[in-house]
Amino acid sequence: MRTTKWCGIVLMTLVFFFIAVNGFASSGHGQNQPKKIGILLVAFGSSEPSAQISFENIDKKVKIAYPGIPVHWAYTSHIIRNKLAKQGKFLNSPEVALSKMKDEGFTHVAVQALHTIGGEEYHDLRRTVGAFKIMGGFQRIVLGYPLLASQKDMQLAVSAILESIPTERKSNEAIVLMGHGTHHPSNAFYAALMFQLQLKDPNVFVGTVEGYPDVDLIKELLIKRKIKKAYLMPFMSVAGDHAKNDMAGDEDDSWKSILTKAGIQCAPILKGTAEYDKFVDIWVSHIKGPLSHFE
Ligand code: CO
């Protein structure tokens, strides 16, 4: 009886010791490494020269807001990466960028998405970040929110939009924003944004290329309000292919052609949201989220 009891205690101690040593060894993975915090900015990517200016502006602003923290970049679109590789510019995917950061001894990584909504691309990135988390490549790796995530972001975006409206626009003229749109549930952000914009300025509209609300609905609303002129503005970080062709192009199915045919004079503005400091500030402030986990 006594021997059994002692055997039990010895066994329990051994088990505890085993768990403690193993637990320490696994959680101690990389613990001896000095803490090295890094930021990884992730954009869809663009071959537009104006996009490059926006990316450089974001890079500069991030470095000013978080001094001393190295900033790396990754691009999710492999079409863009392949296109630029042919011009001799080699860009990293998030997977490659994170692997390189691991090799460079980063222990804590704040991954910041430069997407507009938490749609498909954002969730793909979330999966990549999750995979690095499971592999234990870093002590901490945390993903920051896209432009529109919280109600506060919506309010900041509404102000940023209202402040970027051309000064010559009269109140009976419309502002029509072109969002990307998606089949993803997050598509609801566009209509929600339009609702909140219209509380401040009833002639600001938000449509999308690939989701709801579409251009036909926006056209009906403009006709109902007897709008004679509309400023078309991309609600995408970069004024790329969608802005140049689907929004401002001369083809019959562009927004400019569709609205012009309905008797609405169109003035397209080819400037992406990443070119306006007010929008960039929202993305930059979101990096605070992941960094707050590293203290
Ligand atoms: Co697209």
Side-chain angles (χ1 to χ4, degrees):
M1 186 72 188
R2 210 174 194 179
T3 335
T4 323
K5 193 182 165 189
W6 273 106
C7 274
I9 289 169
V10 168
L11 190 68
M12 286 276 285
T13 314
L14 277 172
V15 167
F16 182 74
F17 186 70
F18 181 77
I19 290 170
V21 166
N22 269 300
F24 182 75
S26 56
S27 71
H29 183 81
Q31 290 282 357
N32 297 332
Q33 250 178 298
K35 190 177 190 181
K36 190 175 173 186
I37 298 175
I39 292 170
L40 178 67
L41 299 174
V42 183
F44 176 73
S46 175
S47 49
E48 295 292 325
S50 70
Q52 213 38 56
I53 297 165
S54 309
F55 294 156
E56 279 161 21
N57 182 39
I58 295 171
D59 190 79
K60 198 178 73 198
K61 286 195 147 228
V62 171
K63 284 171 182 163
I64 291 168
Y66 309 101
I69 303 180
V71 178
H72 290 233
W73 280 81
Y75 302 87
T76 55
S77 164
H78 58 88
I79 295 172
I80 301 281
R81 288 200 309 271
N82 289 344
K83 198 170 162 186
L84 291 175
K86 282 179 195 142
Q87 299 168 17
K89 289 175 208 150
F90 298 96
L91 306 175
N92 293 326
S93 65
E95 293 82 353
V96 170
L98 286 170
S99 302
K100 284 183 179 172
M101 287 180 86
K102 186 176 143 44
D103 281 352
E104 287 168 29
F106 284 92
T107 56
H108 295 68
V109 181
V111 181
Q112 180 57 48
L114 299 175
H115 299 115
T116 301
I117 58 165
E120 194 179 336
E121 292 241 352
Y122 177 79
H123 282 90
D124 282 347
L125 180 60
R126 187 161 278 288
R127 272 192 287 278
T128 302
V129 168
F132 274 83
K133 223 174 255 179
I134 292 164
M135 288 192 320
F138 303 102
Q139 283 177 38
R140 287 306 295 268
I141 175 167
V142 184
L143 177 62
Y145 284 125
L147 185 76
L148 302 178
S150 67
Q151 184 49 32
K152 191 184 157 214
D153 298 336
M154 294 294 270
Q155 285 158 349
L156 291 171
V158 165
S159 313
I161 290 164
L162 297 178
E163 282 172 40
S164 30
I165 289 173
T167 47
E168 65 269 26
R169 176 251 179 174
K170 298 181 191 87
S171 61
N172 63 348
E173 295 169 344
I175 299 294
V176 176
L177 298 164
M178 177 197 252
H180 192 280
T182 171
H183 58 272
H184 190 277
S186 290
N187 188 70
F189 271 92
Y190 296 107
L193 180 67
M194 175 152 69
F195 172 76
Q196 293 181 44
L197 277 162
Q198 293 197 347
L199 293 177
K200 305 244 170 167
D201 184 334
N203 287 335
V204 181
F205 300 82
V206 183
T208 69
V209 191
E210 292 175 17
Y212 176 91
D214 62 11
V215 67
D216 292 329
L217 176 55
I218 300 297
K219 184 182 81 179
E220 279 171 37
L221 294 172
L222 295 178
I223 291 169
K224 217 178 266 175
R225 299 245 182 109
K226 300 187 170 51
I227 301 279
K228 293 282 168 263
K229 184 177 177 181
Y231 290 86
L232 310 181
M233 298 169 76
F235 187 62
M236 297 180 212
S237 59
V238 167
D241 194 48
H242 288 304
K244 285 192 173 146
N245 299 310
D246 300 318
M247 188 185 87
D250 292 325
E251 291 82 48
D252 284 349
D253 57 354
S254 78
W255 287 25
K256 188 180 84 178
S257 300
I258 292 168
L259 297 179
T260 304
K261 224 174 277 168
I264 299 156
Q265 189 200 333
C266 290
I269 298 164
L270 291 171
K271 210 171 158 185
T273 50
E275 290 178 68
Y276 297 91
D277 283 346
K278 285 275 168 188
F279 291 102
V280 173
D281 289 344
I282 304 174
W283 277 300
V284 172
S285 71
H286 281 183
I287 306 173
K288 256 185 248 154
L291 288 179
S292 68
H293 291 274
F294 303 163
E295 283 150 11

